[in-house]
Amino acid sequence: MIRTSFNDGWQTRPKVNPFAELSGPKTPYRPVTLPHDAMIERERTVPGGEVTMEGGAGAYFPGGAYEYRKTFSVPEEHRGRRILFEFEGVHRDAVVYVNGDYAGQRPFGYAHFFIDADRFLRFGQDNEIRVEARTHRDSRWYTGAGIYRDTWMLVGEVVRIAPDGVRVTTPDIDGERAVAEVATKVENDSIAIRTLDVVTEIRGVHGDVVASDVSKVTVLPGEPATVRQRLYVRAPSLWSPDTPALHVATVTLKEADAEVDTETVTFGIRSLRLDPERGLRINGETVKLRGACVHHDNGVLGAATFARAEERRVQILKEAGFNAIRMSHNPMSKAMLDACDRLGMLVVDEAFDVWTSGKSEFDYSLAFPEWWERDIEAMVAKDFNHPSVILYSIGNEIPETGSPVGAAWGRELAEKVRALDGTRYVTNAVNGMLAVMSDLAALGQRPQDKTAEAAEGAEAADDGKGINTLMADAGDAMNAISSSGLVTQKTAESFAVIDVAGMNYAEARYALDRDLFPHRIILGTETFPTRIDGNWRLVKQYGHVIGDFTWTGWDYLGEVGIGRPQYVTPDTPRPSHTAPYPYLVAGCGDIDITGHRRPASYYREIVFGLRASPYLAVRRPQHHGKTYAGTPWAWSDTVATWTWPGFEGEPITIEVYSDADEVELLQDGRSLGRRPTGADHRFRTEFDTTYQPGELLAIGYRGGIETGRHTLRSATGPVRLRAESDRPAISANGGDLAYVTLTLTDPDGTLRTASDRPVRVDVSGPGALLGLGSADPSTEERFDATECLTYEGRALAVLRPTGPGGIRLRASAPECEPVEVLVTVEERRKPAGDGA
């Protein structure tokens, strides 16, 4: 089918009661270009005001109902053809009308779906499509709202290749050749029997044809036929995270030498194996998953899903040392899957956060029993040809997993996935504590949040440590519960129905299950960032543990304050899970919402063995001497800067991360001593000194030989504003964007983290300011404004091209010379992220 973008020409407004408009003023529509997040444009609400999505879980954004409409024409020559509309994601409870008639719906906000529209269309005339979406207390994190992913119009003949109808597998690979099995689903909506030729070509990494085949297929009216062709690729280039070689299969339907339809898909040739001794093998080589859990929002863009935004996230995550992403807790976008294929990032794609037991008042559990099969089918259809996808996750922290009925549900979901795709493995991210929550509730316990759950459940799992010891660390409490005999018994069947036992916050089970369940293969599907050193040691030590996924790789909107720094006070003896308004982000990502790597990211890179140089991070001096009390998701309260005006002569603590035997710290050339680091010391040490502007230098030594160094210098002199685009040229189409980083520096380029000020942005030329903001975790600023306050010297502007030419961004700030950056927009289409 011919597939064209359907993103332009839309209008939107809050959904209104049509009867109310009969006697009152009409609510006007306004133009938008998709993808579009209606929620990020709303005013956030102070608790106690308008009902919000889920309080802090939804970043204090209000729920709401929205409608979109678009007028479009369909030429007369399309009469008799099949016309579909594809929606990659509408959040949530989407209902679609064509020319006023109901055409379809989809309750799940993350499923891509098709609307069969030709029966409703007026050919040779204008038509209207209208989409309603509503969201209200239906999630535990920020979801966005509206048509937030791409839309497409598909036009085809009555005999055609079905949408998502070409599926490629590589069941047999050796050094000499690979078998590529291409299965093509052909549909026939005519009233005649049709016999066609199916012509298939496979092109290699250099664009040359490496295999081809022609088969005949007879398709009966109303009965789809699947054509299977086995093609042999000689000396294949294999796809792996290090060498993401991609192939292209083009399938053409021909009748009497005339082309009827054609479809092109991208795939990779690679093999997967799994066993408890060698773990996960890709192309015969063991791969340990250095994983990042990632929510779906794009920071200052809200939930809007642009191809370049998804690609940029994958690029930065890979540069930070990750080789795998777990999309938490919903199916990944097509754009991010494409980026993972190109860049070599492995994927655990997750279906659901709830099954039949709701976690929010109006969540997907209300629709799950009726819709889960169609949503699983949509996820697998989306993922099938992507070599980056290695695991399907059927759920996250599903409370039912600790019950027989929940295990039966798990078996049904797992078997559904296997029936659709037997080439990949199935997991389920089980939280052992939640799986036995009903048993704990029977004891009269009523947990309120993650931290409270751990604390209140600790007594039930006391293994002799004593309740006070367990309560001292909520992570220990969660582990103690998860490794208890109660959880072992209650989750045995749920783990038995899947290929890989996904475990959230349960590393205490890794060694235990090697003996209890010798055939069980484990994946740390969600772990505390503060425990990566110990977790990674276990991953390397045990063959049956195939990887670790930190919560989280990238910071996100909603679930506010779970990772924020906190300090003990008489009123707050323990850390709180949720921060008050106007907190905006979770605060627990290795990388903040603008794409800037935080100190935890460099620590993780060192633990992974990917960084030889040490790394310096400085604790905020205003909190020196206080007792830190962050949750297990919170990193230390540090910034990689040696610029602290107003604290001259005050005590200050410096953290140094390194895999070397020892690290020496020099302050203005004066040694503060050497301290041991490396694995035996959790890859870190601390130095206390008195702050004075100048220079810090950390030098790592192994066996007395220098292994690397890291320097921090104080910013001096006047403040300069700088603007830098991530690429000098972008494409006018294909979901491309330009990311412009705005920084405050001294004349030498040293970041001025303590000189924040408002930055105003003006955009001219064929482009629009799509988003502007900083990583400030607590702010009332909007991302759709033209001015924002920098945070620790940084802000980010995102530009969307509207046509070819040059986009000029001019930025200004008080006491700074204005700066400009020019981004060239090229009309030719190319993959988002391709440079000039």
Side-chain angles (χ1 to χ4, degrees):
M1 303 184 79
I2 299 173
R3 192 167 182 261
T4 56
S5 175
F6 205 58
N7 287 340
D8 295 333
W10 288 84
Q11 297 177 313
T12 189
R13 68 176 181 177
K15 178 173 167 51
V16 298
N17 183 332
F19 297 102
E21 283 195 324
L22 292 175
S23 58
K26 292 187 177 294
T27 302
Y29 281 92
R30 61 185 180 84
V32 293
T33 299
L34 305 183
H36 175 252
D37 179 4
M39 185 181 290
I40 201 70
E41 301 172 346
R42 299 287 303 276
E43 292 288 345
R44 295 200 294 155
T45 54
V46 180
E50 183 180 354
V51 175
T52 61
M53 267 292 296
E54 191 73 14
Y60 301 107
F61 279 90
Y66 310 90
E67 54 185 339
Y68 294 75
R69 72 179 183 186
K70 173 174 176 167
T71 300
F72 62 99
S73 61
V74 183
E76 181 64 37
E77 55 263 32
H78 282 357
R79 187 183 297 275
R81 294 182 179 179
R82 299 308 314 275
I83 298 175
L84 308 177
F85 294 112
E86 179 182 2
F87 294 86
E88 292 191 12
V90 181
H91 201 91
R92 180 183 176 271
D93 277 326
V95 184
V96 182
Y97 301 87
V98 178
N99 291 325
D101 294 319
Y102 169 85
Q105 68 185 103
R106 198 69 171 214
F108 194 37
Y110 304 100
H112 88 284
F113 61 97
F114 298 91
I115 296 296
D116 189 346
D118 45 308
R119 71 191 74 178
F120 304 110
L121 296 175
R122 298 189 289 258
F123 295 92
Q125 304 178 46
D126 283 342
N127 295 263
E128 183 187 75
I129 186 170
R130 186 167 61 87
V131 180
E132 295 181 0
R134 53 196 54 77
T135 181
H136 171 68
R137 291 189 177 273
D138 55 27
S139 181
R140 301 183 298 126
W141 62 87
Y142 181 87
T143 59
I147 311 176
Y148 70 100
R149 289 180 177 171
D150 286 325
T151 59
W152 306 88
M153 182 176 182
L154 284 69
V155 179
E157 302 298 334
V158 289
V159 178
R160 66 199 177 278
I161 299 171
D164 296 323
V166 177
R167 299 188 174 189
V168 185
T169 57
T170 55
D172 187 359
I173 305 170
D174 61 30
E176 298 179 353
R177 92 294 181 263
V179 175
E181 185 173 285
V182 183
T184 303
K185 183 179 180 182
V186 183
E187 296 178 328
N188 179 8
D189 289 333
S190 73
I191 60 173
I193 298 174
R194 304 283 289 273
T195 299
L196 306 96
D197 289 327
V198 181
V199 181
T200 299
E201 284 187 346
I202 294 178
R203 295 185 179 270
V205 295
H206 303 296
D208 53 321
V209 176
V210 295
S212 62
D213 186 63
V214 180
S215 299
K216 285 194 177 296
V217 59
T218 297
V219 195
L220 304 179
E223 298 183 20
T226 298
V227 181
R228 297 189 184 276
Q229 296 168 293
R230 286 173 61 88
L231 288 80
Y232 296 86
V233 179
R234 311 296 176 185
S237 299
L238 302 185
W239 188 97
S240 72
D242 295 329
T243 57
L246 292 173
H247 292 69
V248 173
T250 300
V251 180
T252 303
L253 294 184
K254 290 186 175 182
E255 189 172 32
D257 292 329
E259 183 176 308
V260 176
D261 198 7
T262 187
E263 186 70 39
T264 298
V265 300
T266 302
F267 70 99
I269 299 175
R270 57 109 177 93
S271 66
L272 298 178
R273 294 182 181 177
L274 199 62
D275 67 73
E277 287 75 36
R278 299 183 63 180
L280 172 69
R281 283 183 284 171
I282 300 177
N283 303 326
E285 298 294 327
T286 296
V287 175
K288 295 290 189 177
L289 302 181
R290 305 188 301 269
C293 292
V294 174
H295 268 328
H296 75 287
D297 73 76
N298 273 301
V300 300
L301 304 183
T305 303
F306 292 85
R308 173 55 188 162
E310 302 289 72
E311 179 183 65
R312 177 175 177 265
R313 276 203 290 172
V314 176
Q315 285 177 327
I316 293 173
L317 286 164
K318 184 151 190 179
E319 290 166 2
F322 294 107
N323 68 0
I325 293 174
R326 172 184 171 228
M327 181 48 64
S328 315
H329 308 287
N330 52 265
M332 183 179 282
S333 71
K334 289 185 175 183
M336 182 170 274
L337 286 171
D338 289 340
C340 290
D341 289 345
R342 291 194 303 270
L343 299 173
M345 182 70 81
L346 301 170
V347 172
V348 178
D349 207 9
E350 195 152 81
F352 308 119
D353 186 53
V354 293
W355 294 350
T356 59
S357 179
K359 297 176 180 176
S360 303
E361 292 93 323
F362 305 101
D363 62 20
Y364 177 71
S365 64
L366 301 175
F368 174 85
E370 181 179 351
W371 284 90
W372 72 268
E373 286 192 86
R374 281 168 283 188
D375 292 333
I376 287 286
E377 289 167 356
M379 180 180 74
V380 173
K382 170 181 62 70
D383 291 3
F384 196 94
N385 292 319
H386 291 279
S388 55
V389 179
I390 57 172
L391 281 157
Y392 295 111
S393 171
I394 56 176
N396 170 68
E397 296 188 341
I398 304 298
E400 297 98 302
T401 52
S403 71
V405 171
W409 269 114
R411 176 175 280 104
E412 191 168 1
L413 267 74
E415 289 304 312
K416 178 67 176 182
V417 171
R418 293 180 179 117
L420 296 168
D421 184 357
T423 70
R424 294 172 171 93
Y425 302 112
V426 181
T427 188
N428 188 2
V430 174
N431 185 315
M433 183 177 64
L434 291 180
V436 298
M437 196 53 62
S438 59
D439 298 270
L440 300 180
L443 301 175
Q445 302 178 33
R446 301 187 61 183
Q448 303 300 319
D449 56 41
K450 286 182 178 178
T451 305
E453 286 166 0
E456 295 176 4
E459 187 172 4
D462 187 352
D463 61 357
K465 293 181 179 179
I467 186 64
N468 290 333
T469 301
L470 288 172
M471 289 289 289
D473 188 326
D476 285 340
M478 295 178 80
N479 259 290
I481 295 170
S482 290
S483 62
S484 66
L486 177 65
V487 170
T488 299
Q489 174 192 354
K490 292 284 187 176
T491 61
E493 185 178 1
S494 284
F495 281 136
V497 305
I498 52 181
D499 305 308
V500 176
M503 295 188 181
N504 289 9
Y505 311 110
E507 63 268 21
R509 292 210 68 94
Y510 295 177
L512 180 68
D513 283 2
R514 183 183 59 170
D515 299 323
L516 290 178
F517 304 95
H519 300 293
R520 178 177 288 180
I521 297 168
I522 294 174
L523 177 61
T525 38
E526 195 168 312
T527 64
F528 296 118
T530 49
R531 296 188 170 204
I532 182 57
D533 58 314
N535 288 347
W536 194 244
R537 184 180 65 252
L538 294 173
V539 171
K540 293 191 298 182
Q541 179 181 355
Y542 294 117
H544 70 289
V545 181
I546 64 173
D548 177 276
F549 281 78
T550 188
W551 192 266
T552 59
W554 196 286
D555 206 4
Y556 56 98
L557 306 179
E559 201 171 13
V560 298
I562 183 177
R564 77 191 191 281
Q566 299 179 65
Y567 295 88
V568 169
T569 69
D571 296 330
T572 56
R574 292 198 187 97
S576 169
H577 173 65
T578 301
Y581 179 87
Y583 226 89
L584 178 66
V585 300
C588 61
D590 278 22
I591 300 164
D592 71 26
I593 62 169
T594 68
H596 174 66
R597 293 177 63 184
R598 302 166 69 204
S601 174
Y602 293 93
Y603 176 82
R604 185 180 309 278
E605 190 178 14
I606 288 168
V607 171
F608 284 155
L610 302 176
R611 177 186 170 97
S613 299
Y615 188 81
L616 286 162
V618 182
R619 294 183 190 166
R620 299 180 194 271
Q622 60 265 41
H623 299 302
H624 190 83
K626 298 179 182 178
T627 302
Y628 184 73
T631 71
W633 293 272
W635 195 250
S636 59
D637 192 4
T638 52
V639 186
T641 184
W642 194 235
T643 303
W644 301 99
F647 291 94
E648 292 80 2
E650 297 293 327
I652 196 167
T653 300
I654 300 137
E655 296 182 1
V656 187
Y657 314 142
S658 176
D659 66 351
D661 297 337
E662 58 181 358
V663 166
E664 182 179 20
L665 183 64
L666 290 83
Q667 183 178 6
D668 298 324
R670 177 177 61 88
S671 177
L672 300 183
R674 293 193 183 193
R675 302 247 173 110
T677 50
D680 292 340
H681 299 273
R682 301 199 65 188
F683 300 97
R684 61 194 302 163
T685 189
E686 299 173 6
F687 292 84
D688 285 315
T689 188
T690 299
Y691 174 69
Q692 292 295 339
E695 179 185 270
L696 283 182
L697 171 62
I699 305 174
Y701 297 93
R702 183 176 292 113
I705 299 174
E706 181 180 328
T707 59
R709 53 179 59 197
H710 184 219
T711 302
L712 294 178
R713 294 183 179 89
S714 301
T716 58
V719 180
R720 299 280 179 87
L721 175 62
R722 297 173 184 259
E724 183 179 5
S725 176
D726 60 337
R727 293 163 302 145
I730 62 176
S731 174
N733 48 20
D736 209 355
L737 304 171
Y739 280 78
V740 180
T741 301
L742 304 165
T743 53
L744 302 173
T745 73
D746 70 5
D748 294 326
T750 301
L751 191 68
R752 299 205 65 123
T753 53
S755 301
D756 287 318
R757 58 200 59 194
V759 175
R760 180 174 180 80
V761 170
D762 295 292
V763 176
S764 59
L769 181 63
L770 193 61
L772 173 69
S774 73
D776 189 348
S778 182
T779 177
E780 292 186 286
E781 291 187 328
R782 297 171 59 97
F783 291 141
D784 58 357
T786 57
E787 182 176 292
C788 78
L789 184 68
T790 61
Y791 178 70
E792 295 177 353
R794 295 184 180 86
L796 180 71
V798 185
L799 307 179
R800 178 177 60 82
T802 57
I807 307 175
R808 190 175 301 276
L809 179 145
R810 186 178 189 272
S812 58
E815 303 174 15
C816 296
E817 289 291 325
V819 293
E820 289 189 351
V821 63
L822 179 67
V823 178
T824 301
V825 183
E826 300 172 342
E827 191 163 11
R828 65 183 177 89
R829 187 181 181 100
K830 58 185 180 181
D834 191 8

